[in-house]
């Protein structure tokens, strides 16, 4: 058995990208694994994966996606379209002196990772998706779909996020409290019960946080200091850059028309939580993996897990990632 070199401490860096600069945290040496977070998170979402991947012999790099954390926040909502984010990721790989990388994403990061593999197969040789399965571009405009998901006096949360300034007005006066409630609402041990109002919907004239669990109870994966780390970044940057991802979905739909229905052929991995709405609502996308992810190596849905899967179940996710990475050609 080959002995891996000692794991060095994580290093923070800024590298040039089309965004302006991208902040990343790097740990370990070996084949490059690029880690992409979702909403409302940051590189910090991968704090339990960086040392594990480094110990397994990989160069693990977690970035702040443009609009988040210490990365640049370009002006204009259109600056956050999917094609721009893909080019940021390719630029990070080049800035690190590498020609190729494995890309792994969670939540919105999973969508960005899949499209990075789709649009830049010359750079991204394999793709791991956490929580959100790959669904190729197609069908009606996303905004039409989300508008149709609302029922009666309710509005789907994506539509709520898409109106500039509206979600910011709810979140920014109490970033820490809002984040605590949002994380709890989608975590296995604190999410509302089946008879409670669904936190993915907003009552007309209401707020998303009206359906969060009772204040004060954090999910088991998140302590007060960790919540402070997340809240501190968003208190400094505001939420508009992060929310711009939701506000580009129709623009992405138009940009990606040449890839309508396109599969991602690279070796792939999916890991989701059985209690996560992203897994249950998109069950058809998971069933379609033989066509949409023809290079799929493994697909896992973890019993009793919610949405924040690499933080809720770090040991299990780390094991699955390392096993998958080790099997890649």
């Amino acid at each position: 058995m080959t002995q891996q070199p000692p794991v060095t401490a994580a290093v923070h860096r800024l590298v040039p990208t089309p965004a302006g600069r991208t902040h990343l945290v790097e740990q370990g040496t070996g084949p490059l694994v690029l880690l992409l977070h979702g909403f409302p998170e940051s590189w910090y979402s991968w704090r339990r994966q960086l040392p594990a991947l480094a110990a397994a012999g990989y160069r693990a790099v977690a970035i702040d996606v443009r609009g988040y954390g210490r990365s640049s926040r370009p002006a204009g909502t259109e600056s956050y379209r999917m094609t721009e984010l893909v080019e940021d990721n390719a630029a990070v790989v080049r800035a690190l002196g590498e020609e190729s990388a494995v890309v792994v994403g969670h939540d919105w990061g999973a969508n960005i990772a899949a499209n990075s593999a789709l649009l830049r197969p010359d750079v991204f040789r394999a793709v791991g998706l956490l929580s959100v399965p790959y669904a190729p571009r197609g069908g009606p405009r996303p905004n039409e779909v989300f508008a149709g998901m609302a029922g009666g006096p309710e509005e789907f949360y994506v539509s709520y996020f898409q109106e500039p300034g509206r979600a910011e007005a709810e979140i920014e006066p109490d970033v820490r409290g809002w984040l605590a409630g949002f994380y709890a609402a989608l975590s296995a041990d604190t999410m509302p019960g089946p008879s409670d109002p669904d936190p993915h919907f907003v009552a007309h004239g209401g707020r998303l946080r009206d359906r969060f669990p009772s204040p004060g109870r954090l999910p088991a994966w998140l302590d007060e200091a960790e919540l402070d780390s997340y809240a501190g970044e968003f208190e400094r940057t505001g939420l508009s850059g992060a929310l711009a991802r939701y506000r580009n979905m129709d623009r992405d739909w138009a940009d990606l028309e040449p890839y309508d229905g396109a599969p991602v052929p690279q070796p792939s991995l999916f890991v989701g939580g059985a209690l996560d709405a992203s897994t249950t609502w998109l069950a058809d996308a998971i069933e379609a993996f033989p066509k949409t992810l023809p290079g799929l190596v493994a697909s896992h849905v973890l019993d009793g897990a919610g949405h924040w899967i690499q933080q809720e179940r770090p040991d299990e996710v780390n094991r699955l990632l390392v096993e998958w990475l080790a099997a890649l050609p």
Side-chain angles (χ1 to χ4, degrees), residues 33-290:
V33 181
L34 187 66
L35 304 169
L36 310 177
H37 66 82
F39 176 89
E41 304 178 86
S42 70
W43 76 266
Y44 192 66
S45 305
W46 302 102
R47 62 194 178 280
R48 297 185 175 102
Q49 282 66 54
L50 288 167
L53 295 178
Y58 297 95
R59 186 182 187 186
V61 173
I63 72 168
D64 282 333
V65 174
R66 71 163 65 186
Y68 288 83
R70 303 180 208 176
S71 291
S72 292
R73 300 187 297 281
T77 301
E78 68 280 359
S79 298
Y80 297 85
R81 67 210 306 158
M82 182 62 68
T83 52
E84 298 279 356
L85 302 180
V86 169
E87 289 310 310
D88 283 347
N89 296 336
V92 167
V93 174
R94 291 192 298 269
L96 293 173
E98 303 284 355
E99 295 183 357
S100 67
V102 174
V103 61
V104 179
H106 169 257
D107 183 75
W108 262 121
N111 196 279
I112 299 167
N115 281 284
S116 294
L118 180 67
L119 273 62
R120 295 300 306 268
D122 57 316
V123 177
F124 299 104
R125 62 186 181 91
V127 57
L129 309 175
L130 303 187
S131 298
V132 177
Y134 174 60
R137 185 265 188 209
R141 288 183 176 274
N143 285 3
E144 296 174 7
V145 175
F146 298 129
M149 293 180 68
E154 294 185 324
E155 182 179 13
F156 191 49
Y157 81 99
V158 174
S159 299
Y160 179 71
F161 283 166
Q162 286 177 330
E163 184 180 332
R166 187 177 175 196
E168 289 94 325
E170 173 185 339
I171 301 168
E172 291 179 356
D174 177 22
V175 170
R176 192 179 191 277
W178 193 91
L179 290 175
F182 192 72
Y183 296 147
L186 304 185
S187 296
D189 60 330
T190 49
M191 64 175 53
S195 62
D196 296 321
D198 191 332
H200 295 90
F201 292 86
V202 184
H204 287 303
R207 306 171 303 170
L208 196 64
R209 71 186 302 158
D210 294 338
R211 296 187 173 184
F212 292 168
S214 299
R217 184 184 175 198
L218 295 181
W221 60 267
L222 182 70
D223 64 27
E224 297 286 350
E226 291 169 328
L227 177 59
D228 285 342
S229 294
Y230 279 122
E233 290 291 76
F234 286 111
E235 286 168 350
R236 182 175 57 81
T237 65
L239 271 292
S240 292
L243 289 163
R245 182 83 292 276
Y246 293 93
R247 297 165 185 169
N248 274 281
M249 297 181 77
D250 274 7
R251 189 174 283 114
D252 295 340
W253 182 84
D255 288 344
L256 297 173
E257 184 177 6
Y259 298 89
D260 191 79
V264 173
Q266 292 96 317
S268 55
L269 169 74
F270 175 72
V271 183
L275 301 180
D276 183 5
S278 297
T279 301
T280 56
W281 287 349
L282 297 174
D284 289 348
I286 296 173
E287 291 178 6
F289 280 169

